């Protein structure tokens, strides 16, 4: 049988949502009103929204049908049992605690295990994870391998945790100061790069030597499993579910946002084997989220997640999903647009600092590029650079390690022709990058400024 090469969307469209076309003049006006901050736009004024892949995906027919089965009993709803079984089918931890999203799971867990004097290592903390660790007075330490910090380096598992650095941290601070070791799969803040099973085993061995629990921040576990399937020795041909279970078997617990690989619009959970830890977390859950059989969720949300967890480990889905990001990245590379390589699972990151060398980091090249992609093509990406990370706690400002624009891909939402349009717009803007000027911040809040800061464009040099 001939093997056809084209990887197609493994679904057909059942219900459509219009997107709204605007003119260049309208977008220029919207930008000025929004203070050149893309978070301040009305989403109706965005043509292709690549701001985030969190909660923005399309649900399937079967998920919408599952929603009709949602049972809203306060305690012991059948929807809870279906959710718990679906989670434990992939992650057989003894205790599963539902939450309204990932950060609620983090808030509860770190309230119990964090606190002053504690240190939490992770390959790279996601921003809400870091914030929840630090809020308790604990320290969040990032220990991704060196290759994971070099945008051009083509390592297959750039999300791996540096086990030598982990040993050094344990030696320096003492195992008693470390309540848990975290590994984020895939490494979102490090470009959506995967972690290998071999690396998870190595981290597990270090944890065993020092009696430390290992937790997964498992938001993109299925995408990570697919990369293992494709790239790790001896893993090709194994069912994705088995690879997920192998990852789970190496850990003592997990935090999860169902807005990512739960294929749902809201939801999350916390899971672990330790019964005492689970009891303390459930007590906090009741205080802030809800009764332990619904957490912060409606019964219908539990149903949508349970169904999503069955669909997300489908090989045809994952092949299409990972190929979509690679397709966009490869076309941009061919057009000479610098990106973080290799493409991650959920997004393509444009290297704005390399593309706009004439715009210094403190004039925000990532913001300048993101604004221009919206102005020219109605595409909304997200600056991940000096706007997001440049303001230090002491009030000073310094360039971030990189100035990137993330184009995140919502799951099952845009088609290949949408991506061809994105490629055309990015290529066109990149060819005129020399004409772009930076921006200046005219107003910013004391923390997390990227969400609400207002900017004004710097006038072009004469
Ligand atoms: C999104 C995300 C979270 C937080 O989840 P929310 O549902 O947005 O609260 C935590 N960790 C990682 C790696 C994430 O991508």
């Amino acid at each position: 049988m001939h093997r056809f090469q084209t990887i197609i969307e493994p679904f057909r469209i059942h219900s459509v949502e219009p997107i709204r076309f605007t003119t260049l003049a309208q977008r220029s006006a919207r930008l000025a009103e929004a203070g050149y901050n893309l978070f301040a736009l009305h989403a109706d004024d965005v043509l292709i929204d690549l701001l985030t892949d969190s909660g923005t995906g399309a649900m399937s027919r079967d998920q919408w049908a599952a929603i009709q089965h949602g049972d809203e009993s306060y305690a012991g709803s059948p929807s809870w049992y279906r959710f718990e079984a679906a989670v434990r089918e992939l992650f057989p931890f003894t205790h599963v605690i539902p939450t309204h999203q990932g950060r609620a799971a983090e808030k509860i867990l770190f309230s119990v295990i964090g606190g002053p004097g504690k240190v939490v290592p992770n390959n790279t903390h996601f921003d809400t994870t870091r914030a929840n660790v630090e809020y308790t007075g604990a320290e969040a330490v990032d220990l991704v391998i060196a290759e994971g910090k070099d945008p051009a380096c083509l390592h297959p598992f750039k999300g791996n945790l540096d086990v030598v650095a982990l040993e050094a941290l344990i030696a320096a601070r003492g195992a008693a100061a470390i309540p848990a070791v975290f590994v984020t799969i895939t490494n979102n803040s490090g470009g959506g790069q995967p972690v290998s099973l071999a690396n998870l085993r190595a981290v597990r061995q270090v944890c065993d030597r020092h009696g430390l629990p290992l937790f997964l921040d498992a938001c993109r576990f299925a995408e990570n499993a697919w990369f293992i399937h494709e790239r790790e020795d001896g893993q090709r041909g194994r069912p994705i579910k088995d690879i997920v279970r192998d990852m789970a078997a190496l850990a003592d617990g997990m935090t999860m946002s169902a807005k990512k690989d739960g294929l749902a619009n809201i939801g999350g959970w916390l899971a672990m084997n330790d019964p005492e830890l689970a009891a303390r977390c459930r007590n906090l859950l009741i205080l802030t989220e809800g009764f332990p059989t619904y957490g912060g969720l409606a019964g219908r949300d539990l149903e949508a997640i349970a169904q999503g967890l069955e669909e997300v480990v489908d090989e045809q889905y994952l092949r299409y999903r990972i190929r979509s990001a690679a397709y966009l990245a490869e076309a941009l590379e061919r057009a000479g647009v610098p990106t973080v390589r290799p493409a991650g699972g959920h997004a393509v990151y444009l290297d704005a600092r390399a593309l706009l060398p004439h715009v210094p980091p403190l004039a925000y090249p990532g913001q300048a590029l993101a604004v221009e992609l919206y102005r020219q093509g109605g595409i909304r990406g997200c600056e991940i650079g000096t706007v997001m990370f440049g303001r230090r706690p002491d009030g000073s400002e310094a360039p971030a390690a990189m100035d990137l624009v993330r184009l995140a891909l919502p799951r099952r939402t845009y088609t290949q022709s949408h991506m061809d349009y994105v490629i055309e717009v990015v290529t066109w803007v990149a060819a005129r990058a020399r004409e772009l000027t930076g921006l200046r911040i005219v107003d910013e809040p004391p923390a997390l400024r990227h969400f609400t800061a207002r900017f004004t464009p710097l006038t072009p040099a004469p």
Side-chain angles (χ1 to χ4, degrees), residues 54 101-103 106 126 128-129 184 188 217 219-220 257 259-260:
S54 179
Q101 57 185 89
R103 69 197 67 185
E106 294 168 348
F126 180 64
T128 63
T129 322
T184 304
N188 184 4
D217 177 341
C219 295
R220 296 177 183 79
S257 168
K259 301 173 75 169
K260 284 57 171 266

Side-chain angles (χ1 to χ4, degrees), residues 80 84 87-88 91-99 104-113 179-180 182 204 213-216 248 251-256 269-285:
W80 151 252
E84 187 193 31
V87 171
R88 296 194 62 218
F91 301 95
F93 297 117
T94 35
H95 301 276
V96 178
I97 300 173
T99 59
E106 294 168 348
K107 166 81 178 150
I108 289 169
L109 181 65
F110 293 119
S111 298
V112 174
I113 69 172
F182 260 77
R204 175 80 254 174
L214 172 59
F215 270 69
L216 300 174
D252 300 290
M254 68 187 293
T255 56
M256 177 72 191
W269 70 84
L270 175 59
M272 71 268 292
N273 290 326
D274 178 345
E276 275 166 47
L277 178 61
R280 295 178 69 194
C281 290
R282 283 206 182 94
N283 289 338
L284 276 183
L285 182 85

Side-chain angles (χ1 to χ4, degrees), residues 243-411:
I243 298 175
V244 175
R245 286 207 197 96
D246 284 356
M247 297 191 294
L250 290 165
D252 300 290
M254 68 187 293
T255 56
M256 177 72 191
S257 168
K259 301 173 75 169
K260 284 57 171 266
D261 277 352
L263 297 181
N265 301 124
I266 198 71
W269 70 84
L270 175 59
M272 71 268 292
N273 290 326
D274 178 345
E276 275 166 47
L277 178 61
R280 295 178 69 194
C281 290
R282 283 206 182 94
N283 289 338
L284 276 183
L285 182 85
I286 294 177
L287 203 62
T288 60
E289 291 280 296
F291 190 72
T293 64
Y294 70 86
L297 297 167
R300 56 178 168 270
D301 300 324
L302 295 168
E303 292 277 354
I305 297 166
Q307 179 62 30
L309 291 176
E310 285 180 27
E311 295 175 11
V312 79
V313 291
D314 176 66
E315 282 198 15
Q316 298 300 342
Y317 161 73
L318 285 168
R319 177 176 288 113
Y320 139 80
R321 169 73 178 157
I322 301 303
R323 181 63 202 145
S324 308
Y327 176 82
L328 176 56
E330 284 167 18
L332 294 176
E333 271 162 37
R334 275 197 302 277
V337 180
T339 61
V340 175
R341 304 178 70 206
H346 69 291
V348 173
Y349 294 71
L350 309 179
D351 188 346
R353 193 175 288 173
L355 192 61
L356 279 64
H358 58 289
V359 177
L362 293 183
Y364 317 125
Q367 190 68 16
L369 179 60
V371 162
E372 197 62 10
L373 293 177
Y374 174 72
R375 187 203 315 275
Q376 296 299 337
I379 297 165
R380 175 158 70 169
C382 183
E383 192 262 8
I384 305 225
T386 303
V387 175
M388 194 177 271
F389 300 119
R391 184 66 73 194
R392 299 292 160 88
D394 69 3
S396 65
E397 195 182 29
M402 298 186 268
D403 278 295
L404 305 175
V405 174
R406 183 183 72 181
L407 304 177
L409 304 177
R411 293 170 180 75

